[in-house]
């Protein structure tokens, strides 16, 4: 491990929806995606939230899909007028947005089995950029889709999560981070300078310092991350030693 | 109201921190900011999350402060090596990042009163771009700051929230949205087409459609928003009529 270059795969996420920006809905998908990508060895590097506004979505999709290995989106693929993600992603790729034949067949069969009309609204859920691949939806049938390096998924958390599980095994993954959390009974003001020295001495690790303020008292959680476990062990040992030195 | 142009103030938020992107911490500040800005009459239009990485922060601060009336940031203003927001925001404005005299005095007095050493780490919390104004911190003293249209606040939710309450009365606010939520017992597939007709007939309102999927059954929450209450009433009445027509 120590002598090979780590493989780094960088991803972005775009959460789409007026309701996230008005406060009506508190997003649950970003944190979930962050967890699952971290576990998989993909570095979530940037997240954006934009409204149900075509120019905003197009701009974000273009920038993020160009700057990262993967872009994952949530929201805006339902059957109503405010669901414009398929149109916006198509526009970002200069592709026509059309009723996908396979999705139309799938949805028609689904509604027929339920003796429910396959209304023009419901047909909107078959829209995707020409040439897109499906992301299966085991919860409510209407698929997400993949075009280029952009993975378009639903906003409803149960559906989003199911779609994420479907795509994860298909993604290129990198060297994953290992991490260790060390409780520090001091506030950040006590440890700031020695902790920087530990960080500087262990450049292939990332040391995060997270203050807590409870019952009028500061403490800190120190989180060490590294793609190489030996380097992680060394940095963690240096932090433990630093804490012992302070206590003495 | 009906004949005057609404005043529109647009804001962005930037949440800063590795821990938000690794999944370790689930952000609580974005949803809070969204709520408070919505109530105040400021349109939160874009949110980004980036890592504790200077080039990423600088790029986001430049773009968002140029594109919106206000930019609010959270995170990265503590005393440790991974707190680099003051440096990055200073760099974005081409200003030196220095120990602010007033903040040094404030922090020195605070630690003296607690008989605690004002360590070099703690002195880092006085750093801000030259010429910045303070945002008071009633929880743990170390101030946030304002430079240009950028408001830099702490990441710890209790401190962030206290800082938000301090700045809100000082902000220019726009015509605020009024909103009404209407429960719809049908899934989006039933209402999609007639709902678009209502939206098209009420262009000064924004109608959001939020599907729920519980116990195998779809329903929908319809949220109508408008800056003009009469227009809100008219659109809400049209939706109620639409639902009655479907049920008949």
């Amino acid at each position: 491990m120590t002598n090979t270059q780590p493989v780094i795969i960088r991803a972005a996420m775009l959460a789409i929806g007026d309701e996230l920006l008005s406060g009506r809905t508190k997003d649950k998908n970003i944190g979930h995606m962050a967890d699952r990508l971290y576990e998989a060895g993909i570095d979530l590097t940037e997240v954006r939230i934009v409204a149900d506004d075509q120019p905003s979505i197009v701009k974000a999709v273009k920038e993020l899909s160009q700057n990262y290995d993967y872009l994952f989106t949530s929201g805006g693929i339902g059957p109503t007028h405010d669901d414009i993600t398929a149109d916006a992603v198509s526009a970002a790729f200069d592709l026509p947005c059309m009723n996908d034949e396979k999705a139309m067949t799938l949805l028609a069969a689904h509604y027929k089995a339920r003796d429910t009309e396959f209304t023009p609204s419901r047909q909107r859920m078959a829209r995707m950029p020409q040439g897109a691949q499906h992301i299966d939806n085991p919860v409510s049938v209407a698929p997400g889709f993949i075009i280029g390096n952009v993975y378009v998924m639903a906003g409803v958390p149960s559906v989003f999560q199911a779609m994420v599980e479907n795509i994860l095994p298909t993604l290129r993954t990198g060297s994953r981070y290992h991490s260790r959390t060390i409780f520090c009974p001091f506030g950040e003001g006590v440890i700031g300078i020695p902790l920087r020295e530990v960080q500087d001495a262990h450049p292939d690790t990332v040391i995060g310092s997270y203050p807590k303020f409870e019952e009028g008292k500061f403490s800190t959680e120190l989180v060490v991350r590294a793609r190489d476990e030996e380097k992680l062990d060394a940095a963690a040992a240096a932090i433990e030693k630093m804490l012992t030195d302070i206590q003495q």
Side-chain angles (χ1 to χ4, degrees), chain A:
Chain A
M1 273 290 275
T2 313
N3 297 315
T4 56
Q5 278 296 99
V7 177
I8 298 176
I9 307 286
R10 295 160 77 246
M13 177 164 171
L14 176 65
I16 298 161
D18 290 354
E19 70 279 17
L20 304 172
L21 295 166
S22 72
R24 179 193 170 277
T25 301
K26 303 293 178 284
D27 172 80
K28 287 179 181 144
N29 295 329
I30 295 169
H32 179 79
M33 196 79 213
D35 280 334
R36 297 299 286 131
L37 291 177
Y38 186 79
E39 290 156 11
I42 294 171
D43 293 3
L44 181 60
T45 309
E46 179 170 349
V47 175
R48 297 191 191 178
I49 307 176
V50 297
D52 299 313
D53 170 66
Q54 173 139 167
S56 304
I57 303 171
V58 170
K59 178 172 176 287
V61 168
K62 281 187 179 174
E63 290 179 12
L64 296 172
S65 66
Q66 281 160 17
N67 290 344
Y68 298 100
D69 296 305
Y70 291 115
L71 168 61
F72 305 102
T73 80
S74 66
I77 63 166
T80 52
H81 65 277
D82 58 342
D83 293 305
I84 60 171
T85 300
D87 302 86
V89 172
S90 301
F93 280 88
D94 265 327
L95 288 169
C97 186
M98 51 206 299
N99 280 349
D100 177 82
E101 204 176 318
K102 195 175 120 200
M104 286 292 281
T105 306
L106 193 72
L107 287 163
H110 169 70
Y111 289 110
K112 191 175 180 190
R114 295 179 159 210
D115 208 13
T116 301
E117 194 187 346
F118 187 30
T119 58
S121 299
R122 291 183 173 124
Q123 290 172 31
R124 272 180 64 78
M125 292 188 286
R127 286 156 55 76
M128 50 184 80
Q130 189 171 35
Q133 285 178 266
H134 286 203
I135 300 173
D136 287 347
N137 171 355
V139 178
S140 51
V141 181
F145 61 83
I146 307 166
I147 187 80
N149 63 343
V150 181
Y151 290 66
V152 174
M153 296 178 281
V156 175
S158 59
V159 182
F160 178 80
Q161 289 169 23
M163 288 181 172
V164 168
E165 294 315 302
N166 280 340
I167 62 168
L168 273 175
T170 72
L171 302 175
R172 282 174 300 130
T173 56
S175 315
R176 66 173 297 255
Y177 274 106
H178 304 272
S179 75
R180 199 159 309 153
T181 300
I182 299 169
F183 175 75
C184 163
F186 310 110
E188 290 190 312
V190 176
I191 57 166
I193 300 296
L195 189 65
R196 176 191 290 275
E197 287 166 9
V198 175
Q199 174 69 83
D200 289 347
H202 296 83
D204 290 335
T205 69
V206 182
I207 304 176
S209 170
Y210 305 110
K212 288 193 169 186
F213 184 70
E214 287 170 344
E215 298 172 13
K217 195 177 174 324
F218 277 104
S219 62
T220 310
E221 264 187 17
L222 300 174
V223 178
V224 198
R225 295 186 295 139
R227 299 190 204 265
D228 180 316
E229 279 200 278
E230 285 178 29
K231 291 179 179 173
L232 175 70
D233 289 341
I239 290 175
E240 298 281 9
K241 181 173 182 310
M242 175 195 89
L243 293 176
T244 308
D245 290 348
I246 293 172
Q247 270 161 323
Q248 272 167 355

